[in-house]
């Protein structure tokens, strides 16, 4: 909560890392318990044109049936529980981190930019202020990119719960993959931001 204060002790750091991992396991536990794999049969009908071989060519349209078996993963939960779980994930994985980051860095940014030293500022003090401002800028960029990358993925499930009819849209899997790719790509941007904005 106070990134500009001295770092936590190693024991406190290990404790918080352990707490984060335990929390992540608990959040994902419903998927481990309630998820089931089952065979999904897909039947496709396609027209096949055959030549009869007679002197007068005649096309006979027949139906060719193709049966495709695919494994499908689904949560064995009631619609009410699924909706509740999706909203809980939206809060825990998106709103809570974003709100925490905003509540932490926005006041720090305001304080740093409004802060004025009394008297003459030494070179070390000026460099310290610039370094802190640079760190806050970097974290604000990280927060903004996190918000942009994860918002479509989170809204995808919320929209499905609010309006189930969109599941019939044929391009829905492509939209999901695009949203998922954008969310996962968030991990790529952070090292680039840290490198480019932390140079002295």
């Amino acid at each position: 909560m106070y990134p500009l204060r001295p770092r936590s002790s190693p024991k406190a750091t290990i404790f918080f890392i352990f707490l984060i991992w335990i929390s992540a396991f608990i959040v994902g536990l419903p998927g481990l318990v309630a998820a089931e794999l089952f065979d999904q049969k897909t039947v496709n009908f396609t027209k096949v044109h055959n030549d009869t071989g007679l002197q007068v060519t005649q096309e006979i349209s027949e139906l060719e049936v193709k049966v495709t078996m695919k494994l499908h993963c689904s949560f064995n939960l009631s619609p009410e529980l699924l909706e509740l779980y999706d909203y809980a994930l939206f809060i825990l994985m998106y709103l809570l981190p974003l709100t925490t980051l905003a509540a932490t860095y926005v006041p720090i940014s305001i304080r740093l930019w409004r802060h004025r030293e009394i008297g003459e500022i030494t070179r070390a003090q000026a460099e310290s202020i610039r370094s802190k401002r640079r760190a806050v800028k970097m974290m604000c960029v990280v927060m903004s990119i996190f918000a942009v990358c994860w918002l479509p993925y989170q809204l995808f499930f919320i929209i499905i719960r609010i309006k189930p009819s969109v599941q019939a849209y044929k391009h829905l899997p492509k939209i999901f993959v695009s949203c998922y790719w954008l969310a996962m790509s968030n991990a790529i941007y952070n090292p680039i931001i840290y490198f480019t904005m932390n140079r002295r």
Side-chain angles (χ1 to χ4, degrees):
M1 292 296 292
Y2 303 99
L4 300 182
R5 289 185 179 180
R7 295 179 181 178
S8 303
S9 64
K11 289 184 179 180
T13 303
I14 293 173
F15 170 77
F16 282 114
I17 292 175
F18 182 75
L19 183 63
I20 290 170
W21 277 95
I22 292 296
S23 301
F25 177 78
I26 293 173
V27 170
L29 194 59
L32 179 64
V33 175
E36 290 184 353
L37 285 174
F38 61 90
D39 293 330
Q40 185 180 31
K41 183 184 293 185
T42 304
V43 181
N44 296 322
F45 296 93
T46 56
K47 284 187 177 181
V48 179
H49 300 285
N50 295 325
D51 190 351
T52 60
L54 300 176
Q55 290 181 352
V56 179
T57 303
Q58 181 181 3
E59 289 186 345
I60 302 176
S61 298
E62 297 178 352
L63 286 178
E64 182 182 273
V65 181
K66 291 184 179 180
V67 180
T68 305
M69 299 294 292
K70 293 182 179 180
L71 284 176
H72 184 73
C73 181
S74 179
F75 280 69
N76 188 18
L77 295 172
S78 65
E80 293 78 13
L81 286 177
L82 275 175
E83 184 176 359
L84 183 63
Y85 185 59
D86 284 338
Y87 286 132
L89 288 180
F90 178 70
I91 294 171
L92 293 174
M93 295 177 61
Y94 187 76
L95 286 184
L96 184 60
L98 197 60
T99 303
T100 303
L101 288 172
T104 302
Y105 287 102
V106 170
I108 292 175
S109 303
I110 295 173
R111 185 174 179 180
L112 280 175
W113 260 263
R114 287 183 177 179
H115 180 70
R116 294 291 183 272
E117 295 287 347
I118 299 175
E120 187 177 354
I121 302 176
T122 64
R123 180 177 296 180
Q125 288 175 327
E127 179 60 30
S128 176
I129 293 173
R130 281 196 296 268
S131 178
K132 290 177 180 179
R133 287 181 177 179
R134 189 163 53 241
V136 171
K137 282 182 181 179
M138 180 177 65
M139 294 311 301
C140 288
V141 172
V142 169
M143 179 181 67
S144 301
I145 291 181
F146 170 83
V148 171
C149 288
W150 279 94
L151 182 60
Y153 179 79
Q154 297 294 337
L155 288 181
F156 179 87
F157 296 99
I158 301 299
I159 292 172
I160 286 179
R161 296 303 170 200
I162 295 175
K163 194 174 182 181
S165 60
V166 300
Q167 297 185 55
Y169 184 55
K170 64 178 181 179
H171 296 297
L172 192 66
K174 296 178 182 178
I175 295 174
F176 170 75
V177 170
S178 300
C179 294
Y180 182 79
W181 175 87
L182 182 62
M184 295 300 107
S185 69
N186 179 239
I188 301 175
Y189 308 134
N190 289 345
I192 299 173
I193 295 169
Y194 296 147
F195 176 75
T196 55
M197 298 190 68
N198 202 31
R199 290 182 295 181
R200 295 184 181 275

